[in-house]
Amino acid sequence: MHALAAIAVSGGKPLRSEDLAYSANTSAVVIRGLLSRLREAKLTTSQLGAGGGALLAKPAEKIKLLDVYRAVEDPELFALHRTPPCENCAVGGNILAAMQPSLDRARRALEIELGKVSVADIAQEVARLGKFTIPLEW
């Protein structure tokens, strides 16, 4: 979201992975990996050459946090066991089935909430908090 919000506030100006990395206080390699996943999900595109960089593939209003979540996060919201529990145990044999309905409801609630918020919403809130207008001059 950090990279997408930065691209959104740039007002259509392509942003280099180095600039996005500086903003996120991480390495450009990490940003390029994320941008690759976002590009595969058709959320970003790249402009090559001098003055090139990452761009949103569609309007920020059309990109929901749910789209971003699905593009970059592990689909398993909750890590349950690294190895399967003992099926011969009264608890171990039933714990996963007992927990799954609650975890499924939690995942659905998260996805509903993420589907309500767009990259544009986040960019506007960043601009409000930072007391600047979009497009931000980099």
Side-chain angles (χ1 to χ4, degrees):
M1 266 313 302
H2 189 126
L4 294 175
I7 296 168
V9 303
S10 76
K13 177 184 172 200
L15 292 182
R16 300 175 319 138
S17 57
E18 293 82 5
D19 297 324
L20 294 168
Y22 174 79
S23 177
N25 197 27
T26 191
S27 110
V29 171
V30 170
I31 295 297
R32 283 191 287 274
L34 287 170
L35 288 173
S36 175
R37 292 168 83 176
L38 294 168
R39 188 172 42 252
E40 288 172 11
K42 298 180 177 28
L43 301 179
T44 62
T45 187
S46 297
Q47 179 176 310
L48 301 176
L55 295 161
L56 298 180
K58 51 187 170 182
E61 297 80 16
K62 302 266 185 197
I63 302 173
K64 300 296 183 181
L65 268 60
L66 181 58
D67 302 321
V68 179
Y69 172 76
R70 288 178 173 158
V72 300
E73 295 296 335
D74 185 341
E76 282 302 318
L77 184 58
F78 301 101
L80 298 176
H81 291 80
R82 290 181 186 215
T83 59
C86 176
E87 291 187 23
N88 295 328
C89 171
V91 174
N94 297 293
I95 189 69
L96 297 177
M99 291 181 59
Q100 202 58 56
S102 295
L103 299 180
D104 289 344
R105 286 191 302 275
R107 182 187 343 270
R108 280 193 300 277
L110 172 68
E111 290 178 353
I112 288 168
E113 190 60 30
L114 293 178
K116 295 177 184 177
V117 181
S118 72
V119 169
D121 296 330
I122 298 298
Q124 286 295 331
E125 182 63 4
V126 167
R128 185 189 72 76
L129 292 168
K131 297 179 174 67
F132 66 86
T133 59
I134 297 173
L136 174 66
E137 295 299 320
W138 292 88

